[in-house]
Amino acid sequence: MAPLLEVDDLRVEFGRGRETASVLNGVSYHVDEGETLAVLGESGSGKSVTAQTVMGILDTPPGRITGGSVRFRGEELLGADPERRRLLRGESMAMIFQDALSALNPVYSVGFQIAEQFRFRRGMSRKDAMVKAAEMLDLVKIPNAKQRVKEYPHQFSGGMRQRAMIAMSLALDPELLIADEPTTALDVTVQAQIMELLDELRRERGMGLILITHDLGVVAEVADRIAVMYAGRIVEHTDAASLYAHPAHPYTRGLMDSVPRVDDVAGAPLRPIPGLPPSLSAIPDGCPFHPRCAHAVDVCTDEVPALRELGSGHQAACHFAERFVAEGPDRPTTHEVVSR
Ligand SMILES: Nc1ncnc2c1ncn2[C@@H]1O[C@H](COP(=O)(O)OP(=O)(O)OP(=O)(O)O)[C@@H](O)[C@H]1O
Ligand SMILES: [Mg+2]
């Protein structure tokens, strides 16, 4: 059977001529029903642009899809009829946006905004739709949902606004949910609660879930598989346990090292990856990560490493992936430290 969502060799550019930015350079990933895929990478690596292309909401222009395919249950969506795309949005696939505050309209009550979907997509009366909206707020564990459904976004805390966004995205019972940095603006405790909620809803509803984040710590517990993005490419892809135990790409290893850990001595310096991601209008030849890679040798500046299979579904785009897998992580992961 075809996966729920299959993105294959997706290519997107912005701008023209010498200013052309190659934002996606052949992104491939898939999600099955009931499964969580985490998409991880630094700011600007193309996580949101990929999601927008999947949802059919990429701004074109300035964006341009120059190749690849996006299939939902085997149906090709790139080039599909806009009416078909509109129908699929909400009904079959939904997205929670990076910024919950600006995604909610301040002049309407939270309940009214959730109810709109039941009114316009399900033909419900205003009253029935508000009852459904309260049920949705209850589903995402907002206490006192019947009262709070009438309140405005500014009366909700950050965590509650994010819950309201989740409620809105789930109103039409989609099969795929894309959560774009759903916890970025929240404090650590609330982050964990939102992750737990998403995980629970995914399980109960058998949804496919794509969790976009730049924080490796946030997804460790909930992701089945992790795809690591760099400069518009997937550079490593495997199940969560293998990624922690045997990171194959120096970029992934760098991300793991830059996460503060429980056994760090208080005040110990963080170890960020040196340098910056490349400009997408001048991606270096060879491996796009080579200018920042401590292990780079001649072949890295000359040849683009393909994303290749290392065994058991572990894929990485590094000329020396096998060596790094064999070495294990640079230092024990927090997971190991905690379970010791
Ligand atoms: N509308 C646009 N016009 C021009 N360039 C854009 C547009 N949208 C995105 N880009 C560029 O595409 C690249 C990838 O952006 P994207 O938003 O996908 O990054 P991201 O991985 O989601 O980063 P973040 O973690 O900051 O959200 C960036 O360099 C960005 O500047
Ligand atoms: Mg983004």
Side-chain angles (χ1 to χ4, degrees):
M1 247 195 14
L4 183 63
L5 176 78
E6 194 165 24
V7 175
D8 190 26
D9 200 26
L10 190 59
R11 292 167 191 274
V12 168
E13 294 178 350
F14 281 97
R16 299 250 167 233
R18 269 203 293 173
E19 299 294 297
T20 301
S22 305
V23 168
L24 302 186
N25 300 294
V27 173
S28 305
Y29 62 55
H30 71 276
V31 199
D32 287 314
E33 275 172 45
E35 188 189 44
T36 301
L37 171 74
V39 179
L40 191 75
E42 278 168 302
S43 188
S45 56
K47 305 180 298 292
S48 295
V49 167
T50 309
Q52 288 157 8
T53 311
V54 167
M55 292 296 294
I57 54 169
L58 182 71
D59 284 331
T60 49
R64 214 162 43 249
I65 300 168
T66 57
S69 98
V70 174
R71 288 185 296 273
F72 185 77
R73 293 202 180 282
E75 175 185 352
E76 179 59 57
L77 299 186
L78 297 187
D81 178 35
E83 191 49 34
R84 174 74 185 144
R85 301 291 323 253
R86 199 190 66 83
L87 186 75
L88 286 173
R89 263 196 303 280
E91 302 277 352
S92 298
M93 49 172 77
M95 181 162 164
I96 305 169
F97 293 95
Q98 223 163 332
D99 180 358
L101 186 53
S102 61
L104 287 164
N105 189 329
V107 303
Y108 294 107
S109 72
V110 171
F112 181 89
Q113 296 180 59
I114 299 172
E116 274 193 319
Q117 309 208 52
F118 295 113
R119 289 169 61 202
F120 297 116
R121 292 276 188 116
R122 297 283 183 266
M124 284 186 191
S125 70
R126 196 181 271 242
K127 194 164 156 247
D128 289 349
M130 277 305 264
V131 172
K132 286 290 282 182
E135 282 173 27
M136 292 308 296
L137 287 187
D138 195 47
L139 177 79
V140 297
K141 303 191 166 64
I142 290 191
N144 225 347
K146 275 206 183 97
Q147 267 68 54
R148 303 219 68 153
V149 74
K150 296 176 207 135
E151 293 184 357
Y152 290 81
H154 74 268
Q155 293 170 286
F156 275 41
S157 69
M160 278 171 53
R161 279 196 287 261
Q162 196 53 275
R163 284 171 194 268
M165 289 301 302
I166 296 171
M168 204 177 289
S169 68
L170 295 183
L172 303 177
D173 204 10
E175 296 160 274
L176 173 71
L177 179 64
I178 303 180
D180 193 353
E181 309 262 12
T183 62
T184 311
L186 306 172
D187 67 54
V188 179
T189 324
V190 182
Q191 273 187 3
Q193 289 165 357
I194 295 287
M195 272 301 144
E196 212 170 285
L197 174 68
L198 282 170
D199 194 42
E200 194 180 310
L201 291 166
R202 188 240 348 130
R203 222 176 315 122
E204 283 169 4
R205 303 178 154 231
M207 286 186 303
L209 177 62
I210 299 180
L211 276 176
I212 299 175
T213 181
H214 56 257
D215 185 346
L216 196 59
V218 165
V219 293
E221 303 297 329
V222 293
D224 295 303
R225 288 182 294 111
I226 300 183
V228 181
M229 273 189 92
Y230 189 75
R233 288 188 177 88
I234 305 291
V235 295
E236 183 158 5
H237 172 219
T238 186
D239 62 272
S242 308
L243 193 82
Y244 286 96
H246 306 285
H249 198 290
Y251 177 62
T252 312
R253 300 167 75 89
L255 286 178
M256 289 170 66
D257 277 356
S258 59
V259 178
R261 303 179 355 169
V262 289
D263 63 331
D264 276 340
V265 181
L270 293 178
R271 308 172 192 209
I273 301 172
L276 292 171
S279 155
L280 297 173
S281 44
I283 297 176
D285 288 339
C287 172
F289 186 63
H290 86 255
R292 303 172 75 185
C293 183
H295 309 277
V297 292
D298 285 353
V299 66
C300 307
T301 57
D302 296 343
E303 275 176 46
V304 182
L307 185 67
R308 60 202 167 78
E309 179 71 36
L310 307 171
S312 318
H314 191 162
Q315 296 154 345
C318 169
H319 294 298
F320 302 101
E322 283 82 359
R323 189 178 97 202
F324 293 121
V325 166
E327 274 178 18
D330 289 329
R331 46 181 198 155
T333 60
T334 296
H335 270 341
E336 286 167 354
V337 173
V338 170
S339 58
R340 236 181 242 160

